[in-house]
Amino acid sequence: MRTAVMPKQGTIRLTEPAGFEGAATMIVLKFGGTSVANPDRIREAIRITLLQSVPRVVVVSAASGVTNLLLEAARCAAAQDNEGRHQAVAEIHRRHDAILSGIPDPAESACARESVDVLHHLLDQGLSDIHDAGDAVAHLSDRVVSTGEKCLSTMMAAMMRAEGHPARAVFADTVIATDDRHGNARPDRPRTRASAQSHIVPLLDAGQTVIVTGFIGFAPDGSTTTLGRGGSDYSATLLGAALDAEEVQIWTDVPGVLSADPRKVSTARVVPHVSFDEAQELAHFGAKVLHPRTIRPAVARNIPVRILSTFAPLEPGTVVTKEATDDRMKAVTALRGLILLTLDVPELEDLAPAASAVFRLLHEERVEIVSVSQASSRRRMTFLVDAVIGGCSRLQVHLESEMDELEASISCTEDVAVVAAVGEGAANTVSAMSRMLSVLHRNNVPVISTSQQTSNVAVLAVIAERAADKAVLALHDAMVQPASRKKSRRRRRSELMAEPVRVG
Ligand code: ADP
Ligand code: ASP
Ligand code: MG
């Protein structure tokens, strides 16, 4: 629990509360890569942060593009490609130098430069270890890739202090406790809560704004782990839950959760409110605006999550809370690059043992299951799973020997996608699935398999990946209804929402 009682201040908001009322005592704000890409963007992130009441915790990603460059440097080091490695590292230095030069106070700038130099030196050591190992093994890669978030939190804290506001950078590989799955680690919430309370609360109590690295944590052996690509959103809700935050704000480059990815559907609109269940399905089925696991810690402690744009900070964004406020279909998403395993058995009674062998193998291989469905004949089951290194050939080698003994057969298809239409209530109607199928049929998109989630929050169809863009456009057009326009106070927001979406 918190060690000191904080004054109950209302959250100073940039806009009126949208669909969620109440005073907030502690806020976690997370800024994504584009929102901290250069000194101007960082200054804007600081301005937004300072408009919120204290105490406040900021979670930051690496500057846009830096994580990809770090992974590229690691890949080159493993492949003994020194030229490629040095090019990637030089570009990382260039981006960080540009931010350091934007710190207005010379003493703060020099101090931040010293810390960043140390982090760059550690990066070189990590890359040399990968070079010597000849392989970017996950624990070495995690150490290397954590450099982006560590440099950014160091520089943002310095910039905030240079503007006269107390701030401290904290590296989450001393705070977020995880297991040892390097590259895709699972947090240990009780241990994270204990370390957040002991490492972060005293800083907050001393009046600091705490700027924590997103994306990273620490394994039981103390080594640095990462939470999977895009994991800073997850860091924000994990810290929000660990610190009993009143609200978590995800500040990004789009003005909220949209009814489809705006890069694919130009008519996508902001969805003002989604429920925890809806947000979870959207993130799970490919809405990149939220890391797939982001909502879980918020559900556990019933913390509202708000998605807002640093490029349009006055817009109301999307608020995610426990209850659904209406039963419209909210959004259409697609998750690409998946693998479909189809299990066939000769007799009904063979299905359970064969399916359990598939589940066990997927678990042992740490392959994530996206969805599972069973044919009405009860002799076929399909498993839609995340792409794995080695693809079908790797999975089939493991599975076929087991299936021989069980007299079952398994086939594997790569490059499939799942399209999902998400809306609590709307997906729960008898017509939802037939509607989806007829839209896909009208648009000549063959359906490989379907599933109406038992949660009744989404309807899904598995299709070839190459048809995903067409399917999303058609489904969005046919199934997502615009929010009803209400008069009075909400009207301005509706009008704002009718404007073309500004994407950063
Ligand atoms: P950040 O760096 O701030 O974490 P991301 O790039 O991870 O930002 O996520 C924001 C991006 O998610 C948007 O630019 C948009 O292209 C994509 N996106 C995909 N689906 C959706 C959706 N349904 N609503 C909003 N954004 C989406
Ligand atoms: N920087 C990390 C990534 O690019 C984490 C994040 O941005 O959330 O995946
Ligand atoms: Mg992201």
Side-chain angles (χ1 to χ4, degrees), residues 339 341 386-398 412 414:
I339 288 178
L341 293 166
D386 269 353
V388 285
I389 295 161
C392 277
S393 37
R394 181 177 137 209
L395 286 178
Q396 263 176 317
V397 167
H398 291 286
C412 185
E414 286 174 0

Side-chain angles (χ1 to χ4, degrees), residues 180-192:
D180 63 355
R181 289 187 221 206
H182 288 276
N184 195 15
R186 297 300 141 85
D188 176 330
R189 295 215 208 128
R191 282 172 57 225
T192 298

Side-chain angles (χ1 to χ4, degrees), residues 127 160 313 432 443 445:
L127 290 171
M160 208 157 163
N443 286 275
V445 178

Side-chain angles (χ1 to χ4, degrees), residues 236-249:
T237 51
L238 284 166
L239 287 173
L243 294 165
D244 300 316
E246 298 285 322
E247 182 172 308
V248 174
Q249 299 177 351

Side-chain angles (χ1 to χ4, degrees), residues 66-127:
V66 166
T67 304
N68 285 349
L69 285 164
L70 287 162
L71 288 169
E72 174 64 6
R75 193 192 59 74
C76 290
Q80 320 292 307
D81 172 3
N82 290 335
E83 174 62 24
R85 166 180 163 181
H86 288 121
Q87 267 180 23
V89 169
E91 181 57 23
I92 292 164
H93 285 200
R94 199 187 61 71
R95 293 195 190 188
H96 288 164
D97 280 351
I99 298 174
L100 287 165
S101 312
I103 299 175
D105 177 76
E108 283 297 348
S109 178
C111 183
R113 193 173 287 276
E114 235 172 72
S115 306
V116 168
D117 283 348
V118 171
L119 291 165
H120 285 170
H121 177 67
L122 293 172
L123 165 65
D124 281 336
Q125 280 182 350
L127 290 171

Side-chain angles (χ1 to χ4, degrees), residues 94-224:
R94 199 187 61 71
R95 293 195 190 188
H96 288 164
D97 280 351
I99 298 174
L100 287 165
S101 312
I103 299 175
D105 177 76
E108 283 297 348
S109 178
C111 183
R113 193 173 287 276
E114 235 172 72
S115 306
V116 168
D117 283 348
V118 171
L119 291 165
H120 285 170
H121 177 67
L122 293 172
L123 165 65
D124 281 336
Q125 280 182 350
L127 290 171
S128 296
D129 289 347
I130 291 177
H131 175 277
D132 295 346
D135 187 357
V137 274
H139 73 276
L140 295 179
S141 177
D142 275 357
R143 178 148 53 93
V144 158
V145 96
S146 70
T147 311
E149 271 72 10
K150 288 182 174 175
C151 288
L152 209 287
S153 65
T154 302
M155 294 186 290
M156 184 162 168
M159 201 175 296
M160 208 157 163
R161 287 191 300 269
E163 290 182 12
H165 308 284
R168 276 284 286 277
V170 168
F171 296 168
D173 55 4
T174 58
V175 181
I176 295 187
T178 71
D179 66 9
D180 63 355
R181 289 187 221 206
H182 288 276
N184 195 15
R186 297 300 141 85
D188 176 330
R189 295 215 208 128
R191 282 172 57 225
T192 298
R193 187 173 175 80
S195 48
Q197 294 290 329
S198 64
H199 287 67
I200 294 181
V201 170
L203 295 173
L204 295 174
D205 290 347
Q208 306 273 349
T209 294
V210 180
I211 304 186
V212 190
T213 53
F215 187 41
I216 66 174
F218 67 99
D221 68 357
S223 59
T224 301

